């Protein structure tokens, strides 16, 4: 091809019109950062675990993306995937709960707001639960509670560490008190895991609130959080509206919790797998201690 | 009915109050004119009783919420003072706070030493402000846990009385780790080798109630409520309209009969005619008898059995489809 031909055949590239630009973003080729507005090639954003390379903003991630980010390839063995919610209260608000469930299942391809199973992080076998905020705001009803409890019980049997990645608005109102009791149920299962001197790492991601905060999220032996994640018990609006208190700027952020002693460390998502592997390594004794067993005070008389 | 209690009248109690006034008028007129109207009065009193029975036997969930929150409803300390032979209140979480919204201490009940804990609402506005309307802070849950660990060490059965709109949603409470405090209680209450009886005496408000709500037996007064969220909060979120609270109260299944049917509570304590606030003495008697009955049964079990059964009890809660 002569240079002349090359010029002749060269696609006519003009600067993209605004409309075209927007179409390309809409097509998903590029992703605009929700925080700083920077455009990142979507594939690159995914390679960076959906953390904006410009400003470090952590874009929301789906549970299956989490699994891919954290686990060694082809090690995921899901458990209890087929557990689904029924509608024991026949709950109807502006829409029947059963219909909401069907819509959510269709939209997310998930049966409920958490995926649980076993896998390996840098060759360390772990029991892993990943909540999915896209499914009814990651709310905890019977299915989330039951899946976590079964996972923790199986991990206790198999003497494996548990890692739970939290993302939830709290208890699922549509299952009423059944949802509230999942807080106690999951806490009980984690208590037995703890009593067996096994490691539980809880990872708080944006957002972790309500009944999930007041149960398994805050029960980690070690608690990690993603930068700027919203973490709290009561909703910010509830506090503002009912009590008319002025809220500190960084109130209920990961950084606020770190400052007040409720989080061990803040770990950017890009470092999460590395940090977890490091923690797991540090909990793998080179030679198992003999005759030493720490007994949790509450269990002395049991 | 004394004048103090008359100050608070729920809308569905109004026909009763009117009838009561009529009876009093007739009695007064009779006294003045010297005419014997005792037949007429006893008939009216009968009607009054019937009406009261009717009204309170078909309360809607929304009305039950109002009864459960009734300002004259007996509080934790009312019951403790009325049913125990001795009572010594203890204070402090040993971490810098003592929460007046969650009280606890040693008591002697039917001759036996026990630990009693409970949310404490105020009996008037001033006390309500001091008690934070029964909304406990992290320090309250940590005080409760400290006392429960003590009970565990000394073999004292634990009784918790639940009556709270919810855990306190405030800046200070968040700073001190409200979520963490409740979570730790949930976990630790499964590791106490002594009998635990929880009674919802009024309002069981979500995580704030559950924070002292893990036990071997969960009892509930007939007109008490226990809910994952307040009907008002639920309506604001799901209906985007907090005036839809009546619908939410219906949908949430928060009444004692509903929760018994769902298998989440063990026993309903019947209330006197016109609810606990109409006859606190009888309500106290009912509570005391139920506590002593359940204590006698639980005392036969050793610590390991109690803890195993407590785990299994909560393990069964939840409804899922498998496969």
């Amino acid at each position: 091809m002569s240079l002349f031909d090359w010029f002749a055949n060269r696609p006519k590239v003009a600067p993209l019109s605004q409309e075209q630009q927007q179409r390309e973003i809409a097509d998903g080729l590029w992703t605009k950062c929700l925080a700083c507005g920077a455009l990142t090639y979507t594939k690159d954003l995914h390679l960076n675990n959906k953390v904006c390379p410009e400003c470090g903003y952590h874009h929301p991630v789906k549970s299956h993306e989490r699994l891919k980010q954290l686990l060694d390839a082809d090690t995921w063995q899901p458990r209890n995937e087929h557990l689904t919610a029924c509608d024991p209260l026949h709950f109807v608000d502006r829409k029947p709960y059963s219909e909401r469930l069907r819509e959510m299942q269709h939209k997310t391809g998930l049966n409920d707001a958490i995926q649980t199973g076993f896998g390996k992080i840098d060759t360390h076998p772990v029991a892993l639960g990943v909540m999915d905020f896209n499914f009814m705001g990651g709310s905890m009803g019977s299915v989330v509670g039951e899946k976590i409890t079964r996972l923790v019980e199986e991990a206790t049997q198999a003497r494996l560490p548990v890692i739970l990645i939290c993302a939830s608005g709290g208890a699922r109102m549509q299952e009423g008190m059944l949802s509230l009791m999942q807080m106690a149920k999951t806490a009980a299962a984690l208590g037995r895991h703890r009593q067996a001197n096994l490691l539980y790492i809880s990872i708080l991601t944006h957002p972790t609130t309500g009944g999930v905060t007041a149960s398994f999220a805050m029960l980690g032996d070690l608690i990690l959080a993603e930068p700027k994640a919203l973490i709290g018990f009561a909703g910010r609006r509830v506090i503002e509206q009912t009590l008319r208190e002025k809220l500190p700027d960084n109130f209920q952020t990961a950084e606020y919790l770190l400052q007040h002693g409720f989080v061990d460390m803040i770990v950017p998502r890009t470092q999460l797998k590395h940090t977890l592997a490091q923690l797991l390594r540090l909990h793998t004794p080179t030679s198992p201690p003999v005759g030493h067993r720490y007994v949790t005070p509450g269990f002395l008389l049991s | 009915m004394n004048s103090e209690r008359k100050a608070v009248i729920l809308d569905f109690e109004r026909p009763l109050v009117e009838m009561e006034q009529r009876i009093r008028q007739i009695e007064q007129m009779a006294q003045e004119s010297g005419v014997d109207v005792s037949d007429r009065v006893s008939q009216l009193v009968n009607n009054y009783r019937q009406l009261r029975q009717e009204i309170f036997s078909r309360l809607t969930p929304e009305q039950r919420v109002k009864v459960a929150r009734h300002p004259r409803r007996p509080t934790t300390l009312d019951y403790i003072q009325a049913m125990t032979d001795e009572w010594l209140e203890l204070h402090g979480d040993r971490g810098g706070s003592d929460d007046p919204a969650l009280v606890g201490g040693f008591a002697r009940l039917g001759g036996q030493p026990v630990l009693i804990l409970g949310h404490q609402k105020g009996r008037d506005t001033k006390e309500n402000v001091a008690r934070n309307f029964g909304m406990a802070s992290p320090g309250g849950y940590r005080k409760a846990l400290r006392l429960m660990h003590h009970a565990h060490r000394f073999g004292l059965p634990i009784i918790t009385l639940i009556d709270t709109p919810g855990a306190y949603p405030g800046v200070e409470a968040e700073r001190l780790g409200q979520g963490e405090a409740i979570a730790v209680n949930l976990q630790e209450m499964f590791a106490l080798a002594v009998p635990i009886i929880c009674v919802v005496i009024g309002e069981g408000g979500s995580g704030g109630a559950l924070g002292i709500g893990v036990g071997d037996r969960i009892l509930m007064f007939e007109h008490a409520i226990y809910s994952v969220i307040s009907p008002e909060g639920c309506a604001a979120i799901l209906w985007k309209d907090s005036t839809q609270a009546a619908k939410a109260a219906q949908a949430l299944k928060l009444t004692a009969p509903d929760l018994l049917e769902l298998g989440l509570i063990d026993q309903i304590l019947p209330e006197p005619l016109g609810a606990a606030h109409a006859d606190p003495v009888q309500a106290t008697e009912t509570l005391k008898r139920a506590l002593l009955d359940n204590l006698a049964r639980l005392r036969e079990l050793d610590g390991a059995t109690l803890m195993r059964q407590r785990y299994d009890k909560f393990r069964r809660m939840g409804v899922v489809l498998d496969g």
Side-chain angles (χ1 to χ4, degrees):
Chain A
M1 190 196 285
S2 72
L3 192 60
F4 183 80
D5 288 338
W6 185 83
F7 270 108
N9 294 334
R10 183 174 63 117
K12 301 283 180 285
V13 181
L16 289 175
S17 70
Q18 203 164 20
E19 197 183 306
Q20 278 171 316
Q21 266 188 30
Q22 246 149 27
R23 205 176 55 235
E24 292 233 326
I25 297 174
D27 288 348
L29 206 53
W30 295 83
T31 304
K32 189 174 179 176
C33 176
L34 297 171
C36 72
L39 286 177
T40 312
Y41 193 48
T42 302
K43 273 186 188 162
D44 288 344
L45 188 66
H46 277 273
L47 283 175
N48 205 37
N49 290 349
K50 290 184 94 171
V51 177
C52 174
E54 295 294 325
C55 71
Y57 173 73
H58 285 51
H59 287 259
V61 283
K62 297 176 181 136
S63 50
H64 64 262
E65 292 170 324
R66 286 270 180 203
L67 294 173
K68 212 175 284 172
Q69 289 169 9
L70 288 179
L71 292 175
D72 302 348
D74 302 320
T75 60
W76 178 237
Q77 297 171 286
R79 288 287 197 278
N80 301 301
E81 281 177 292
H82 303 296
L83 283 198
T84 49
C86 42
D87 180 11
L89 307 190
H90 308 293
F91 196 99
V92 180
D93 46 88
R94 288 174 306 158
K95 206 186 269 182
Y97 176 41
S98 51
E99 201 179 309
R100 256 181 223 278
L101 280 171
R102 268 198 306 277
E103 279 176 17
M104 282 293 158
Q105 284 159 354
H106 185 74
K107 186 185 123 191
T108 61
L110 299 168
N111 274 328
D112 213 295
I114 193 167
Q115 297 201 55
T116 55
F118 293 81
K120 287 183 177 168
I121 294 177
D122 208 5
T123 73
H124 295 276
V126 293
L128 177 66
V130 182
M131 302 190 82
D132 201 311
F133 193 75
N134 292 303
F135 195 103
M136 292 188 75
S139 56
M140 171 162 65
S142 298
V143 172
V144 170
E146 183 66 22
K147 283 178 84 167
I148 290 176
T149 306
R150 288 189 191 183
L151 180 80
V152 174
E153 284 178 341
E154 202 181 332
T156 308
Q157 282 279 315
R159 297 203 59 80
L160 284 177
V162 170
I163 298 173
L164 294 179
I165 300 188
C166 308
S168 173
R172 187 173 296 171
M173 288 173 279
Q174 288 89 346
E175 289 184 36
M177 283 294 289
L178 290 163
S179 297
L180 192 78
M181 292 307 174
Q182 304 310 310
M183 293 165 61
K185 188 165 98 178
T186 52
L190 284 166
R192 288 192 168 180
H193 185 259
R194 180 189 180 84
Q195 194 186 0
N197 290 333
L198 296 167
L199 177 67
Y200 164 40
I201 303 176
S202 135
I203 298 163
L204 314 181
T205 73
H206 182 79
T208 298
T209 59
V212 167
T213 301
S215 61
F216 58 85
M218 280 295 165
L219 290 174
D221 297 306
L222 306 171
I223 303 180
L224 315 186
E226 284 196 341
K228 297 194 176 152
L230 171 79
I231 305 158
F233 174 68
R236 199 184 164 98
R237 258 182 311 165
V238 176
I239 301 172
E240 267 171 348
Q241 283 175 2
T242 59
L243 300 151
R244 290 161 211 269
E245 283 191 54
K246 191 168 155 39
L247 303 181
D249 282 345
N250 66 345
F251 187 58
Q252 292 186 328
T253 59
E255 292 72 16
Y256 179 87
L257 267 82
L258 181 76
Q259 193 188 338
H260 292 101
F262 288 98
V263 160
D264 284 290
M265 48 181 148
I266 293 174
V267 183
R269 197 182 290 152
T270 46
Q271 297 297 310
L272 189 55
K273 180 171 181 172
H274 176 79
T275 306
L276 284 174
Q278 196 180 2
L279 288 171
L280 291 166
R281 261 198 315 278
L282 287 166
H283 287 79
T284 312
T286 38
S287 58
V290 182
H292 166 78
R293 194 159 183 278
Y294 174 73
V295 182
T296 315
F299 292 91
L300 271 174
L301 297 182
S302 60
Chain B
M1 192 183 263
N2 62 35
S3 60
E4 230 187 342
R5 203 179 300 144
K6 233 191 314 182
V8 190
I9 297 156
L10 303 177
D11 48 5
F12 52 87
E13 286 181 314
R14 195 140 289 144
L16 290 170
V17 175
E18 280 163 13
M19 209 159 170
E20 208 175 88
Q21 280 167 349
R22 235 176 80 207
I23 295 172
R24 212 168 290 142
Q25 272 172 5
I26 291 173
E27 278 176 335
Q28 205 180 350
M29 270 160 54
Q31 219 169 23
E32 282 163 10
S33 62
V35 183
D36 180 21
V37 288
S38 55
D39 275 2
R40 175 89 181 107
V41 168
S42 72
Q43 196 196 339
L44 276 174
V45 168
N46 241 348
N47 290 354
Y48 172 82
R49 290 222 174 99
Q50 238 167 27
L51 184 65
R52 179 147 237 174
Q53 176 106 50
E54 255 171 54
I55 288 174
F56 277 86
S57 63
R58 53 178 166 77
L59 289 181
T60 64
E62 187 204 13
Q63 288 171 330
R64 277 185 200 250
V65 172
K66 286 187 181 154
V67 176
R69 292 175 182 165
H70 198 289
R72 290 286 148 209
R73 200 168 167 85
T75 66
T76 290
L77 285 175
D78 293 333
Y79 283 121
I80 290 174
Q81 272 146 16
M83 73 181 174
T84 61
D85 316 321
E86 287 177 63
W87 164 246
L88 274 178
E89 190 178 339
L90 302 165
H91 294 275
D93 69 348
R94 302 296 189 268
S97 75
D98 178 47
D99 187 359
L102 208 167
V103 298
F106 301 130
R108 194 176 288 277
L109 183 75
Q112 318 167 40
V114 293
L115 174 79
I116 307 184
L117 298 165
H119 305 101
Q120 182 61 37
K121 288 185 178 177
R123 300 171 183 93
D124 54 42
T125 310
K126 197 175 154 204
E127 199 195 346
N128 253 323
V129 170
R131 298 281 185 188
N132 207 11
F133 298 85
M135 296 185 287
S137 292
Y141 294 103
R142 292 183 183 128
K143 170 170 69 178
L145 184 60
R146 175 177 81 85
L147 296 178
M148 289 191 286
H149 276 150
H150 183 92
H152 163 86
R153 288 179 57 226
F154 291 92
L156 296 173
I158 298 168
I159 293 163
T160 75
L161 303 180
I162 294 166
D163 188 18
T164 178
Y168 180 54
V171 173
E172 181 76 352
E174 293 291 317
R175 186 175 69 77
L176 296 172
Q178 188 71 283
E180 194 265 357
I182 292 171
V184 169
N185 279 20
L186 299 185
Q187 187 164 71
E188 287 296 309
M189 286 182 87
F190 284 98
L192 301 169
V194 291
I196 307 176
I197 303 172
C198 308
V199 191
V200 188
I201 58 170
E203 214 180 347
S206 194
L210 190 62
I212 54 167
V214 174
D216 304 301
R217 301 278 293 166
I218 317 291
L219 280 43
M220 216 170 143
F221 264 113
E222 185 183 349
H223 298 307
I225 58 161
Y226 198 176
S227 183
V228 66
I229 185 170
S230 73
E232 294 81 3
C234 180
I237 298 169
L238 292 183
W239 277 266
K240 316 266 180 225
D241 178 2
S242 57
T243 62
Q244 300 293 314
K247 281 187 195 164
Q250 180 84 39
L252 282 165
K253 300 274 189 287
L254 44 67
T255 70
D258 284 332
L259 295 172
L260 188 70
E261 202 182 308
L262 285 167
L264 300 180
I265 63 166
D266 300 295
Q267 190 182 336
I268 298 176
L269 307 183
E271 293 193 23
L273 202 56
H277 63 273
D279 190 348
V281 176
Q282 202 188 321
T284 305
E285 200 44 49
T286 307
L287 176 62
K288 185 176 179 180
R289 210 171 328 115
L291 288 173
L292 290 175
D293 277 359
N294 282 293
L295 274 180
R297 258 177 285 163
L298 292 172
R299 269 184 187 285
E300 290 170 13
L301 306 173
D302 62 64
T305 308
L306 283 170
M307 288 191 292
R308 198 185 58 245
Q309 289 185 357
R310 198 179 305 147
Y311 185 93
D312 293 342
K313 174 187 181 63
F314 281 82
R315 182 68 190 83
R316 284 191 296 271
M317 293 181 184
V319 183
V320 297
L321 294 173
D322 202 344

